[in-house]
Amino acid sequence: MKKIGIVMDSTGYLPKEILDRFQIRVVPLNVTIGDETFSETELTNQIYFEKLSHIQGLSTTSQPSVGTFLETYESLFTDGVEDIISIHISSGISGTIHSALMAKDLASSPSIYVFDSRSSALGLGVLAWAAAEWAEQGLSTSEIMARLPILNQQTELFFIVDTLENLRKGGRIGGAAALVGTLLQIKPILYFNQNAQIDVFDKVRSRHRAWERVLQELTKALSTGKRYRICVMHVNIPEEGQILFHELQVRFPEHEIQLCEAGAVIATHVGTGAFGLVFHPWPFQ
């Protein structure tokens, strides 16, 4: 049986215990704050927001270099990995996957399989988690790569933000949608559309209503009777994240539920206080 290595970029935001448990390698995106540039894995949210408070305007983000990917891949091959599955943020909003593909062409082995999650944050994180579990169970690379698109289609991601202004300034969403959100002071619920780009799923008048609207979608999915893996995530609101996590545990005790914190790259584009939900059927059927 071939030894398979799983790689994801830093926007997957899986908790450290899961990364360590399955030995998932993380390739960091970059965050520029003022005249300083950091790899995302160097920045806790506390450090990020403290540094952000001392500059005018927003931070910016950039994809990992080809060299960073190549170093990660070669390190895995040196450690005895024979195949690498590399899962990344949507090509619709980032050039990260292009860096991965260029590194694949330069690597000492061609056995690198790059997968476009067409999503971000826990939308890609749960796919890397699943791939690592399948590898541990003894599935082959071809079996995992055949399952990933199916699970990806079954994975739903919703993100609730206070404003679309950050996304508009970063070029990740249309200006008209940002303007409407600002003028009406609504709470937009975001998702990835069929073009793998961030879009507005719905608009409601309060954070509570936004959360209830997302729970409607979750409840609809759970009505199939399948067991689900559910991840709630937040940007720099740990207390509220714990409240949402506990609510899910109470309402859906028969399902697997995980709490995760999104980091500086997502925070740059959605702002502090954002939160969201990712879910898909698990185990895979």
Side-chain angles (χ1 to χ4, degrees):
M1 183 176 69
K2 287 186 175 181
K3 184 178 179 181
I4 302 171
I6 306 299
V7 174
M8 72 174 195
D9 63 70
S10 59
T11 67
Y13 301 125
L14 289 176
K16 185 177 186 300
E17 59 266 24
I18 294 174
L19 296 175
D20 291 346
R21 164 73 178 78
F22 293 101
Q23 297 185 322
I24 299 170
R25 293 287 187 95
V26 176
V27 176
L29 274 73
N30 304 304
V31 180
T32 299
I33 308 170
D35 57 1
E36 295 182 284
T37 298
F38 306 87
S39 67
E40 185 177 25
T41 50
E42 294 179 298
L43 288 171
T44 64
N45 273 347
Q46 181 180 2
I47 294 172
Y48 167 71
F49 284 107
E50 193 279 328
K51 286 184 174 293
L52 194 64
S53 68
H54 296 294
I55 69 166
Q56 294 291 326
L58 302 175
S59 56
T60 59
T61 63
S62 58
Q63 67 206 53
S65 69
V66 175
T68 301
F69 270 109
L70 186 59
E71 182 179 352
T72 301
Y73 294 156
E74 294 297 351
S75 174
L76 283 167
F77 288 136
T78 299
D79 289 345
V81 165
E82 296 169 271
D83 286 353
I84 295 172
I85 296 174
S86 200
I87 302 172
H88 299 294
I89 184 173
S90 171
S91 59
I93 62 169
S94 173
T96 296
I97 203 163
H98 299 297
S99 291
L101 289 169
M102 291 176 69
K104 172 184 175 177
D105 290 340
L106 296 172
S108 59
S109 169
S111 299
I112 301 170
Y113 303 83
V114 179
F115 185 80
D116 185 347
S117 72
R118 300 175 62 83
S119 187
S120 182
L122 266 295
L124 78 90
V126 293
L127 297 179
W129 186 2
E133 288 195 48
W134 288 330
E136 186 181 70
Q137 292 165 10
L139 272 68
S140 68
T141 302
S142 60
E143 289 172 323
I144 295 172
M145 291 302 295
R147 287 184 173 198
L148 275 174
I150 300 170
L151 187 62
N152 198 17
Q153 288 185 335
Q154 297 172 338
T155 302
E156 298 196 61
L157 162 67
F158 298 99
F159 225 88
I160 298 157
V161 300
D162 285 331
T163 175
L164 296 175
E165 191 64 15
N166 288 38
L167 284 162
R168 185 191 67 80
K169 288 181 177 178
R172 263 63 178 190
I173 199 166
L179 181 62
V180 169
T182 301
L183 290 178
L184 298 183
Q185 297 182 346
I186 58 171
K187 302 302 176 189
I189 302 171
L190 308 179
Y191 78 119
F192 278 83
N193 61 27
Q194 292 185 343
N195 296 321
Q197 296 178 328
I198 298 171
D199 205 345
V200 178
F201 176 77
D202 204 350
K203 308 182 189 79
V204 295
R205 290 285 185 176
S206 70
R207 289 170 69 86
H208 175 72
R209 288 183 180 179
W211 178 243
E212 288 299 323
R213 178 68 183 88
V214 170
L215 289 183
Q216 287 179 12
E217 294 300 308
L218 174 60
T219 302
K220 185 195 308 180
L222 299 185
S223 68
T224 62
K226 297 178 181 178
R227 188 171 185 268
Y228 267 66
R229 172 172 284 165
I230 305 165
C231 297
V232 61
M233 54 187 168
H234 69 88
V235 179
N236 203 37
I237 47 170
E239 295 85 2
E240 188 171 353
Q242 283 289 345
I243 292 170
L244 300 177
F245 175 60
H246 179 68
E247 180 180 349
L248 290 173
Q249 288 181 311
V250 171
R251 293 176 68 160
F252 310 110
E254 66 275 25
H255 299 278
E256 180 182 3
I257 301 169
Q258 181 74 44
L259 175 63
C260 306
E261 182 173 15
V265 169
I266 295 300
T268 292
H269 298 295
V270 301
T272 189
F275 60 100
L277 203 63
V278 173
F279 50 91
H280 63 204
W282 192 258
F284 180 82
Q285 298 177 1

